[in-house]
Amino acid sequence: MSKLDQIVDFLETEKTDVAVVSDPVTINFLTGFYSDPHERQLFLFVYTDHEPLLFVPALEVERATAVVDFQVVGYVDSENPWQKIKATLPVEAVKAVAVEFDNLILTKYHGLKTVFEQADFTNLTPFIQRMRLIKSADEIQKML
């Protein structure tokens, strides 16, 4: 089972509609794509009933598309990232969102609240930390 499939199973078990991953290290852990966006927005959206989506600065779209096998959406600095996310994602029926509380700064939280207006937010961090405890064969090989 892939790491993204584990996230989907967690969402289904917890009756949560979407996971929003915002830590670049966690995004790398789940997808193999790493970027340090500095002040720009970088998110991985994992749904129970839709394909994942990686939201990156426009400068990273080509590199991200070479790594992941699902949709990558970029935005330029002149665009409002929250409006673009809301226009791109299926957000209407979302009632519960799991986010990394340990990495969610207040400006990201407020931005995500404009996207998922009716949703309750829960903490995804403990599940991600448990996932990291169990190493895959490729992770073990990299450590050697």
Side-chain angles (χ1 to χ4, degrees):
M1 176 183 297
S2 77
K3 292 172 184 170
L4 291 178
D5 289 337
Q6 291 177 50
I7 299 289
V8 171
D9 282 353
F10 169 80
L11 294 173
E12 289 171 346
T13 300
E14 298 296 316
K15 307 224 181 322
T16 303
D17 302 304
V18 61
V20 180
V21 181
S22 56
D23 181 352
V25 173
T26 304
I27 292 172
N28 181 45
F29 171 74
L30 295 172
T31 68
F33 173 74
Y34 180 77
S35 173
D36 183 2
H38 304 287
E39 73 281 353
R40 293 177 178 94
Q41 304 305 322
L42 172 70
F43 294 104
L44 172 64
F45 297 93
V46 182
Y47 279 83
T48 56
D49 58 353
H50 294 87
E51 185 175 80
L53 182 134
L54 187 60
F55 187 80
V56 300
L59 297 168
E60 298 284 3
V61 169
E62 186 176 336
R63 204 167 60 80
T65 321
V67 175
V68 301
D69 61 353
F70 48 83
Q71 186 179 9
V72 176
V73 173
Y75 77 100
V76 294
D77 289 345
S78 61
E79 292 178 291
N80 179 317
W82 310 112
Q83 289 175 352
K84 186 145 189 186
I85 291 169
K86 189 171 186 173
T88 304
L89 293 175
V91 298
E92 299 78 30
V94 173
K95 300 295 180 211
V97 179
V99 296
E100 294 175 289
F101 280 6
D102 285 7
N103 189 59
L104 193 65
I105 62 172
L106 196 55
T107 54
K108 286 183 182 181
Y109 170 75
H110 284 297
L112 289 170
K113 285 297 284 180
T114 68
V115 173
F116 302 105
E117 296 175 33
Q118 304 301 316
D120 291 323
F121 285 64
T122 60
N123 191 2
L124 181 63
T125 300
F127 181 73
I128 297 292
Q129 289 172 339
R130 283 192 306 276
M131 282 181 69
R132 286 187 177 164
L133 290 175
I134 302 169
K135 303 296 181 206
S136 65
D138 64 315
E139 288 173 312
I140 294 169
Q141 188 61 37
K142 287 178 187 176
M143 292 179 351
L144 300 174

